[in-house]
Amino acid sequence: MNAFILETVRWRDGAVRILDQTRLPREEAYLELRTVDALIDAIRTLAVRGAPAIGVAGGLGVALSAAAFEGDDPARLCAHVDASAARIAAARPTAVNLRWACERTRGAARAAGPGEAGEIRARVLAEALAILEEDLALSASMARHGVALLPDEGRVITHCNTGGLATAGGGTALGVVLEACRRGKRLFVHVDETRPLLQGARLTAWELARAGIPFAVQCDGAAAWRMQTGAVDAVLVGADRIAANGDTANKVGTLGLALAAQAYGVPFYVVAPRSSFDLTLADGEAIPIEERDSSEITEWQGVTWCPPGTPAWNPAFDVTPARLIRGWVTELGVERPPFPPAGKSKG
Amino acid sequence: MNAFILETVRWRDGAVRILDQTRLPREEAYLELRTVDALIDAIRTLAVRGAPAIGVAGGLGVALSAAAFEGDDPARLCAHVDASAARIAAARPTAVNLRWACERTRGAARAAGPGEAGEIRARVLAEALAILEEDLALSASMARHGVALLPDEGRVITHCNTGGLATAGGGTALGVVLEACRRGKRLFVHVDETRPLLQGARLTAWELARAGIPFAVQCDGAAAWRMQTGAVDAVLVGADRIAANGDTANKVGTLGLALAAQAYGVPFYVVAPRSSFDLTLADGEAIPIEERDSSEITEWQGVTWCPPGTPAWNPAFDVTPARLIRGWVTELGVERPPFPPAGKSKG
């Protein structure tokens, strides 16, 4: 295993083992999740986060529910798996990968036919592990396609965390940067801190420092000024859901970043696996946007800075219209809408 | 005195008394500054902040230096006042009001001629107090002109803090909103939290709650999404320095906000007194932009969230090009470049 590949989500001894991202960068601690409730809680609290990573975690969660089911009746096991898959899929509404992975693992149980419960459990787990392995391969493919978009020497801006921590261990947008540097490109990364939960300042900074790549964190509001005052060669972001026309839901702040990139002529790329595309949606209007608790904005780990009772509006995502996006880097290449159906991705 | 008017900066018993903004909103505490060094420290640490407020504080600081000078030799007193004024003016580089107020009070000492030291001290203090009184009047004038730009009912976005806390006690951009609501307009204010120092979340929220005006804090990166998803009627911001062509330096994040406002057709106004204009500069290129310590980004009151040693880029301001600004609300009206020289403002 490549030393650069993080073990963000894994199946270990009958449990889902995740690197607890709420504790990074202070400590590299892992959670062993043995129940569906614990897994849902980890997804909701962002202990595991990033659209591909929560897809992988969701699939493994469905396997967990099959393994934990007491009884040998295949029909009741399948019904239990269906119910668990639905609960897990609802843990976060915006990223389509979660729903997709739950549906796929649930389908594997159904496809096992009226066999033994043991076989159903094995099939569900095999499907979940296949999603995990595929995700690692997808990261490698996206990185390969994306590297060609970057100069041999230059500056990029990235938002949120889209590295190994956002996937099974490779990365989407940051994965492209990591791979480019591994191949000898000399890139400087301007890291949006990404309010409110500071995934850039906490997680992307941690990944870049670990990889020895030069970077500086900046306030999200400073990105436009960065483009005005210095040559920025590209903006790379991930995605939580992409509609058929290319409208892209991603971490809040992405839209403003894309508007600034357009104003300064900086190419703006989305890097995401085909499992983040939701071709059932014509455009971004129909993408549900999760609103999270206002306390994520008004305080940090118990330290509050607002007057008591301050209301805050906390959409977790925004939708960037397709016209602001130069290209979508997927495992299939650098794509543009209309996107053909991908079938089962092979990485 | 209007109960809405904050006593942000005042002269009290031979000292400069300021409302300590580093302790808001947790407590409403005042600092009694009796030395130039203490005053410079208060400006540098942002205990007093906002271009007009630091102008007023700077002028009173020059008066403080005159009062504290031991000796009766007029020439030596004037030399001392000159030196103090230069030191105070250098405390923060971007806001031109500070330099302007120091220059004006220093000039009052010189204009006193070869009189007695006591008269020089009195003239310097009188000039500083005149700046303070004028600033209150300027706020009232800007509010009067700005109110007409706002609908009777609607939504505005504001960045940083531009209320009473940013001036001697009235306000620039937020002062317009406060006055509009006082006159019965029903406005909802979307408050950019304003990273890194959270002047929106801490100070603007405190002022709006105090005035009973409905608002919600949002992450700076959410402003574009706010404009995309809901009707925003105007964006109002303050300014730290405005060049002759209208290019406007203001709190970092303003440029991105202006680009988003342009993209969504939302009128974007700058509200600032004529003392924030620097007509000696042809355009924004020459405005010096203060870079502050990276720890303002990487930690909050001792709680750090970045990996140890994380580099951060912390420009305190950015420059918004004039083409993105619909109008400049000053004490003289709603202006557009070229701006005629204002002479001595009368409010």
Side-chain angles (χ1 to χ4, degrees):
Chain A
M1 179 67 69
N2 186 322
F4 281 99
I5 301 297
L6 293 168
E7 300 214 332
T8 309
V9 190
R10 290 293 182 277
W11 180 260
R12 178 81 60 92
D13 303 330
V16 181
R17 183 174 185 263
I18 66 162
L19 178 50
D20 185 352
Q21 300 191 36
T22 65
R23 292 156 82 179
L24 284 175
R26 280 172 297 129
E27 52 178 338
E28 203 171 323
Y30 291 82
L31 294 175
E32 307 278 345
L33 308 170
R34 298 189 172 273
T35 67
V36 168
D37 284 344
L39 182 115
I40 288 172
D41 192 55
I43 291 173
R44 285 208 178 120
T45 59
L46 313 193
V48 57
R49 46 146 295 282
I54 64 175
V56 171
L60 291 172
V62 175
L64 196 62
S65 85
F69 179 73
E70 293 181 3
D72 287 326
D73 182 72
R76 294 183 57 199
L77 171 56
C78 282
H80 176 73
V81 164
D82 284 350
S84 299
R87 284 172 58 216
I88 296 168
R92 295 193 70 194
T94 301
V96 72
N97 312 59
L98 178 60
R99 208 180 60 184
W100 166 86
C102 290
E103 189 56 37
R104 187 169 148 189
T105 42
R106 187 183 79 83
R110 291 281 167 194
E116 289 190 352
E119 191 193 333
I120 293 171
R121 290 191 177 95
R123 286 221 188 189
V124 171
L125 178 57
E127 195 71 23
L129 292 174
I131 291 172
L132 189 159
E133 289 303 321
E134 283 169 23
D135 190 75
L136 292 169
L138 292 173
S139 285
S141 294
M142 288 185 279
R144 200 169 58 240
H145 295 303
V147 162
L149 301 172
L150 299 179
D152 288 341
E153 188 162 350
R155 296 172 174 272
V156 301
I157 293 180
T158 185
H159 192 70
C160 199
N161 172 265
T162 58
L165 293 171
T167 62
T172 58
L174 189 64
V176 170
V177 174
L178 293 166
E179 178 63 18
C181 293
R182 219 171 285 144
R183 296 191 189 186
K185 294 197 178 193
R186 295 155 58 97
L187 302 177
F188 189 97
V189 187
H190 298 284
V191 178
D192 273 0
E193 62 175 0
T194 316
R195 283 284 295 156
L197 292 178
L198 300 164
Q199 289 92 338
R202 293 189 300 118
L203 307 178
T204 301
W206 183 77
E207 289 201 48
L208 288 169
R210 191 168 172 272
I213 296 169
F215 70 99
V217 171
Q218 62 192 11
C219 293
D220 304 332
W225 184 235
R226 180 75 269 171
M227 294 188 221
Q228 163 69 39
T229 54
V232 172
D233 298 282
V235 178
L236 297 174
V237 300
D240 291 79
R241 195 184 306 206
I242 301 164
N245 74 337
D247 289 352
T248 297
N250 190 48
K251 178 58 53 195
V252 72
T254 302
L255 171 59
L257 188 58
L259 290 167
Q262 184 192 46
Y264 291 104
V266 178
F268 185 96
Y269 298 106
V270 169
V271 185
R274 270 309 194 96
S275 56
S276 295
F277 287 68
D278 183 352
L279 302 182
T280 69
L281 302 182
D283 59 39
E285 282 276 330
I287 300 177
I289 298 298
E290 176 182 7
E291 292 205 10
R292 295 180 60 87
D293 198 85
S294 64
S295 65
E296 290 184 348
I297 292 179
T298 58
E299 60 184 68
W300 183 262
Q301 297 184 344
V303 180
T304 184
W305 39 64
C306 292
T310 291
W313 178 59
N314 187 16
F317 305 95
D318 58 27
V319 178
T320 299
R323 66 183 162 76
L324 299 176
I325 300 167
R326 181 79 58 98
W328 289 255
V329 180
T330 75
E331 64 271 30
L332 303 178
V334 183
E335 304 193 62
R336 296 266 326 154
F339 306 106
K344 187 173 171 183
S345 299
K346 285 298 179 190
Chain B
M1 179 67 70
N2 186 321
F4 282 99
I5 300 296
L6 293 168
E7 302 215 330
T8 310
V9 190
R10 292 292 182 275
W11 180 260
R12 181 80 60 92
D13 303 329
V16 181
R17 183 174 184 265
I18 66 161
L19 178 51
D20 184 353
Q21 299 191 36
T22 64
R23 291 156 82 179
L24 283 174
R26 281 171 297 131
E27 53 178 336
E28 203 171 323
Y30 291 82
L31 294 173
E32 306 279 343
L33 308 170
R34 297 189 173 275
T35 67
V36 168
D37 285 342
L39 182 114
I40 289 173
D41 193 53
I43 291 174
R44 286 209 177 118
T45 60
L46 314 192
V48 57
R49 45 145 294 285
I54 64 175
V56 171
L60 291 173
V62 175
L64 197 61
S65 85
F69 179 75
E70 292 181 5
D72 287 325
D73 181 73
R76 292 184 58 201
L77 171 56
C78 282
H80 175 75
V81 164
D82 285 349
S84 300
R87 283 173 59 218
I88 296 168
R92 294 194 71 194
T94 301
V96 71
N97 312 58
L98 177 60
R99 209 180 58 186
W100 165 86
C102 289
E103 188 56 36
R104 188 169 148 187
T105 41
R106 188 183 78 84
R110 292 281 167 194
E116 289 190 355
E119 191 193 336
I120 293 172
R121 289 190 179 95
R123 288 222 186 189
V124 171
L125 178 58
E127 194 71 24
L129 291 173
I131 291 173
L132 189 158
E133 289 303 322
E134 284 169 23
D135 189 76
L136 291 168
L138 292 173
S139 285
S141 295
M142 287 185 280
R144 197 168 61 240
H145 295 302
V147 163
L149 300 172
L150 298 179
D152 288 342
E153 188 162 350
R155 296 172 174 273
V156 300
I157 293 180
T158 184
H159 192 71
C160 199
N161 171 267
T162 56
L165 293 171
T167 62
T172 58
L174 190 65
V176 171
V177 173
L178 293 166
E179 178 63 18
C181 293
R182 218 171 285 145
R183 296 191 188 185
K185 296 199 178 193
R186 296 154 58 95
L187 302 177
F188 189 98
V189 187
H190 298 285
V191 178
D192 273 359
E193 62 175 0
T194 317
R195 286 282 293 153
L197 292 178
L198 299 163
Q199 289 92 339
R202 293 190 299 119
L203 308 177
T204 301
W206 182 78
E207 289 201 47
L208 288 168
R210 190 167 172 274
I213 296 170
F215 70 98
V217 171
Q218 62 191 12
C219 293
D220 304 331
W225 185 235
R226 179 76 269 168
M227 295 187 219
Q228 163 70 38
T229 55
V232 172
D233 298 282
V235 178
L236 298 173
V237 300
D240 291 79
R241 194 184 306 206
I242 300 164
N245 74 337
D247 290 352
T248 296
N250 190 45
K251 178 57 54 195
V252 72
T254 302
L255 171 59
L257 188 60
L259 290 168
Q262 184 193 47
Y264 292 104
V266 177
F268 186 97
Y269 298 106
V270 168
V271 186
R274 270 312 195 93
S275 56
S276 295
F277 288 67
D278 184 353
L279 302 182
T280 68
L281 302 182
D283 59 40
E285 282 276 329
I287 300 177
I289 299 298
E290 176 182 9
E291 292 206 11
R292 295 180 60 86
D293 198 85
S294 64
S295 64
E296 290 184 347
I297 291 180
T298 58
E299 61 184 68
W300 182 262
Q301 296 183 345
V303 180
T304 182
W305 39 63
C306 291
T310 291
W313 179 59
N314 188 16
F317 306 95
D318 58 28
V319 179
T320 299
R323 66 182 163 77
L324 299 176
I325 300 166
R326 181 78 59 97
W328 289 254
V329 181
T330 75
E331 64 271 28
L332 303 178
V334 182
E335 304 193 62
R336 297 267 324 154
F339 306 106
K344 186 174 171 183
S345 300
K346 285 295 176 192

